[in-house]
Amino acid sequence: SALPEKKMIFQGLTVNKEDMNKLMLTPQIHYPLPGGTALITFEEAKVAQRIIEMREHTVELSCGELDELDQCRVRVQAVPVEILLPSALEIRLTQSSRSILVSELPSLGISKEALLDKLELFFSKTKNGGSEVESREFLEDSDQVVLTFTEDGVVEPLIERGHTQVPIGKGKYQVKISPCMSGDISNLQLQPSRCPRTVLLLGIPDVLSEESMRDALEIHFQKGSRGGGEVDALAYVPAGRTGVAVFVEDTG
């Protein structure tokens, strides 16, 4: 469905013409976890598959925190984790007629706000090829700035220039001027995918502290006699709470 807006910087050179329209995607899936569940990732996919095939598991608990002896075992269900991964993505790019991207900014130990003031002051002057600046902002997770002018016809000559020297403090520093592109997703195709090494555990009662329950689950599922194996990671969400797990590409 709707994807969050994300401002990005594309860096590097295109060597082969056939690569110009290709974009590599690295998935980062946010997976909601309700209360009374746990995610357990095994080192080997065959262990996860075996746990899922067994379906129901009886987990022994430490009775030190419990009042009644019959509460020392809990039954949990193991189900696969199904997520949607992008299989194809098409983006329609358009160049902004009033914005430029300013990069290769110097590291001078001044605040970002002070640097934005210097850039706005320089690019707002007509003698520098600029005009009145409507907005200025740093792109998220980068050292590049987007400057937007109030008038048309300012951007093209600046982009053709490519570089310019901006006075900051007692010195002059060369910065790079590039087109500012905006993109809209015109086509997104998703395909269901099963996490090979991760299992979702359901129906976990709130009978132990969070740390004790996590330890009990890990002890149980790492035992080969119970169908388990070496545990790589385990996340537990107690009843009455919610969590979010982040899945990234498995490079192991």
Side-chain angles (χ1 to χ4, degrees):
S1 56
L3 291 175
E5 182 177 308
K6 174 68 175 178
K7 296 178 180 178
M8 296 182 289
I9 291 289
F10 292 91
Q11 297 177 329
L13 298 175
T14 300
V15 178
N16 300 318
K17 185 177 180 181
E18 56 269 22
D19 295 335
M20 290 182 64
N21 295 318
K22 293 182 180 179
L23 176 66
M24 298 301 295
L25 288 177
T26 301
Q28 188 180 68
I29 308 298
H30 290 241
Y31 189 87
L33 288 174
T37 64
L39 279 177
I40 182 167
T41 300
F42 296 96
E43 290 189 356
E44 297 183 359
K46 64 182 181 180
V47 177
Q49 183 60 35
R50 187 164 61 235
I51 292 297
I52 292 171
E53 290 174 354
M54 293 171 67
R55 183 70 179 180
E56 281 203 353
H57 300 265
T58 302
V59 180
E60 299 279 347
L61 303 181
S62 170
C63 297
E65 296 186 28
L66 304 173
D67 297 329
E68 300 179 17
L69 188 62
D70 60 354
Q71 289 181 311
C72 289
R73 296 181 182 88
V74 296
R75 286 186 178 181
V76 300
Q77 288 186 328
V79 297
V81 177
E82 302 278 356
I83 57 178
L84 291 174
L85 291 178
S87 58
L89 174 66
E90 294 179 7
I91 299 178
R92 184 187 302 111
L93 293 176
T94 55
Q95 181 177 330
S96 173
S97 62
R98 292 188 178 182
S99 298
I100 59 172
L101 183 69
V102 184
S103 58
E104 299 181 2
L105 298 171
S107 300
L108 301 175
I110 63 176
S111 68
K112 287 188 174 182
E113 198 63 30
L115 185 55
L116 288 174
D117 288 340
K118 295 294 185 182
L119 293 174
E120 179 177 354
L121 183 62
F122 178 85
F123 283 101
S124 63
K125 295 179 179 180
T126 55
K127 69 177 183 178
N128 297 327
S131 180
E132 181 182 347
V133 175
E134 181 179 281
S135 65
R136 78 275 173 92
E137 64 173 333
F138 270 93
L139 283 183
E140 184 180 355
D141 302 327
S142 77
D143 294 323
Q144 285 83 15
V145 170
V146 174
L147 293 177
T148 302
F149 300 98
T150 58
E151 301 176 5
D152 290 325
V154 180
V155 167
E156 289 79 3
L158 288 174
I159 293 174
E160 288 180 7
R161 189 186 303 178
H163 290 82
T164 190
Q165 286 196 333
V166 178
I168 304 175
K170 297 181 180 180
K172 285 189 175 182
Y173 302 90
Q174 181 169 277
V175 299
K176 183 179 179 180
I177 305 171
S178 306
C180 183
M181 310 295 291
S182 60
D184 295 313
I185 295 176
S186 57
N187 181 31
L188 173 63
Q189 298 177 17
L190 301 172
Q191 64 179 11
S193 178
R194 175 178 292 191
C195 294
R197 298 190 298 121
T198 302
V199 175
L200 176 63
L201 304 177
L202 303 174
I204 304 173
D206 189 16
V207 293
L208 292 180
S209 67
E210 184 175 346
E211 183 177 357
S212 297
M213 181 60 79
R214 190 186 302 114
D215 289 344
L217 292 171
E218 185 166 351
I219 288 172
H220 175 89
F221 285 101
Q222 71 180 2
K223 291 181 178 179
S225 60
R226 304 292 176 87
E230 200 67 36
V231 175
D232 190 21
L234 189 146
Y236 164 59
V237 181
R241 291 167 54 184
T242 57
V244 176
V246 179
F247 287 88
V248 296
E249 188 175 6
D250 190 353
T251 57

